[in-house]
Amino acid sequence: MSRKVILPGGSGFLGQALAKDLVSRDYKVTVLTRGEGRTEGDIRYVRWDGRNLDDWVTELEGAEAIVNFTGRSVNCLYTRKNREEIMNSRLDSVRALHHALRQCQQPPKVFIQAGSLAIFGDTREECDEEAPHGEGFSVEVCQRWEEAFFAENHPQTRQVLLRIGFVLGRDGGALEPLSKLARYGLGGKIGSGEQYISWIHLEDLNAMIRYALDHPLEGIYNATGPAPVTNESFMAALRKAMGKGWAPPAPAPLVRLGAVLVMRADPGLALTGRNCIPKRFQEAGFHFRHTDLTLRELV
């Protein structure tokens, strides 16, 4: 008998990759989306607004799990309007799902919430799950997001929050804009190049989520690989994978200007980083398939 998994906000890069992975393993997958309800292949799409209870609530009944990816992209300028949307989209969806869970006669066995390693701010010190938090808007978003997720407990439902790192996969995601830079000869180090990238292969992230479905995990876990690297090392590996030679570095002032005027994104996304390890997953016995930064298959 197929097990059903509900993916709120599952229309993006990570959600679609997980949906296809789960379907290939005989799960039934329902994506909660702001788009139109439909069926594509083996994946059902059910409309919701990420805030209010509606017909979508019945989808949770008897499901194996919820994996919530909902949240406005942070790849933007942090205007007042965008800040409000980034914050509210995360808090509203978590609260709506909690409310829906309270109405279930047969609630899902596990509620997995996608979070972010950005909670640690900009640091080169090694960060496990117990490391101190940083400062700034992104940190505030993460802290309030986690507080909202753990504000309620459901007796029949485990709660797992995954602080997700820099996910490497084909045809989209975090790697795509850096690949474009390298393709046009701009794949040098960004800023000082000393900021860390806590990366994880998409296959390992999907495996982590399946591990959380099948094992009695609870609480907060860093969902990243065991071998973070500096930006300078990462860009060198990317150039090598793409058959590119040396590329000039991008000084921080130029990055700030280009981010605002060309990319229309906050410069901190490129100039800051964090050095995180998945201590709790390792202690739980999770096995990584991808521990070396090999990008050739992805670009």
Side-chain angles (χ1 to χ4, degrees):
M1 181 178 177
S2 297
R3 298 186 292 175
K4 183 168 70 170
V5 177
I6 312 301
L7 304 183
S11 299
F13 178 69
L14 298 185
Q16 288 294 286
L18 178 63
K20 293 172 184 176
D21 178 85
L22 292 174
V23 164
S24 74
R25 300 169 193 276
D26 200 34
Y27 285 85
K28 290 182 178 179
V29 174
T30 298
V31 172
L32 301 186
T33 175
R34 294 178 186 272
E36 293 302 317
R38 61 197 187 278
T39 298
E40 293 183 3
D42 295 314
I43 304 172
R44 291 181 62 243
Y45 292 80
V46 173
R47 187 173 176 83
W48 83 324
D49 65 2
R51 182 176 183 178
N52 296 298
L53 301 193
D54 208 330
D55 293 344
W56 61 266
V57 174
T58 61
E59 298 293 331
L60 275 58
E61 197 70 45
E64 183 76 12
I66 302 168
V67 185
N68 184 25
F69 289 106
T70 307
R72 189 210 193 281
S73 172
V74 297
N75 189 19
C76 62
L77 291 174
Y78 289 167
T79 62
R80 180 177 178 179
K81 180 175 182 291
N82 287 344
R83 285 173 182 250
E84 289 178 354
E85 290 181 357
I86 287 169
M87 183 74 80
N88 292 339
S89 63
R90 286 157 173 76
L91 301 185
D92 288 346
S93 68
V94 170
R95 290 165 180 161
L97 289 166
H98 276 312
H99 191 178
L101 277 169
R102 292 198 303 271
Q103 298 189 7
C104 288
Q105 298 298 313
Q106 291 182 283
K109 297 176 184 177
V110 58
F111 182 1
I112 300 173
Q113 173 63 48
S116 174
L117 293 176
I119 198 166
F120 298 113
D122 181 21
T123 178
R124 296 171 193 168
E125 298 296 322
E126 186 175 89
C127 297
D128 62 18
E129 288 82 356
E130 300 300 322
H133 300 172
E135 297 179 349
F137 171 67
S138 295
V139 174
E140 181 187 357
V141 170
C142 291
Q143 290 180 155
R144 291 187 59 188
W145 201 6
E146 293 188 4
E147 288 167 3
F149 180 63
F150 290 110
E152 294 193 38
N153 295 302
H154 306 278
Q156 300 178 64
T157 305
R158 289 185 292 112
Q159 291 177 226
V160 181
L161 187 136
L162 303 180
R163 291 171 174 164
I164 299 175
F166 193 89
V167 184
L168 304 179
R170 290 183 63 87
D171 303 322
L175 188 58
E176 187 172 44
L178 296 183
S179 298
K180 287 182 179 178
L181 290 177
R183 188 170 294 116
Y184 293 107
L186 300 174
K189 69 179 183 180
I190 298 174
S192 71
E194 296 177 359
Q195 67 273 34
Y196 272 84
I197 294 178
S198 295
W199 65 273
I200 182 170
H201 196 287
L202 182 58
E203 289 181 356
D204 279 335
L205 178 61
N206 286 341
M208 280 181 164
I209 294 171
R210 297 196 310 271
Y211 200 84
L213 295 181
D214 296 332
H215 294 77
L217 307 186
E218 292 190 78
I220 295 172
Y221 291 76
N222 286 351
T224 186
V229 297
T230 64
N231 171 270
E232 183 172 15
S233 296
F234 186 93
M235 297 307 293
L238 180 58
R239 294 196 305 273
K240 180 179 179 180
M242 299 182 69
K244 302 290 185 179
W246 179 86
L254 183 61
V255 173
R256 293 189 180 96
L257 187 64
V260 173
L261 297 182
V262 180
M263 305 298 289
R264 304 299 294 170
D266 185 80
L269 296 174
L271 294 172
T272 63
R274 50 211 61 89
N275 178 13
C276 299
I277 59 170
K279 182 179 178 182
R280 292 197 68 197
F281 264 114
Q282 291 174 314
E283 291 176 344
F286 179 80
H287 174 71
F288 287 88
R289 289 187 58 193
H290 302 273
T291 56
D292 296 324
L293 186 62
T294 303
L295 301 175
R296 188 174 302 277
E297 64 175 271
L298 301 177
V299 293

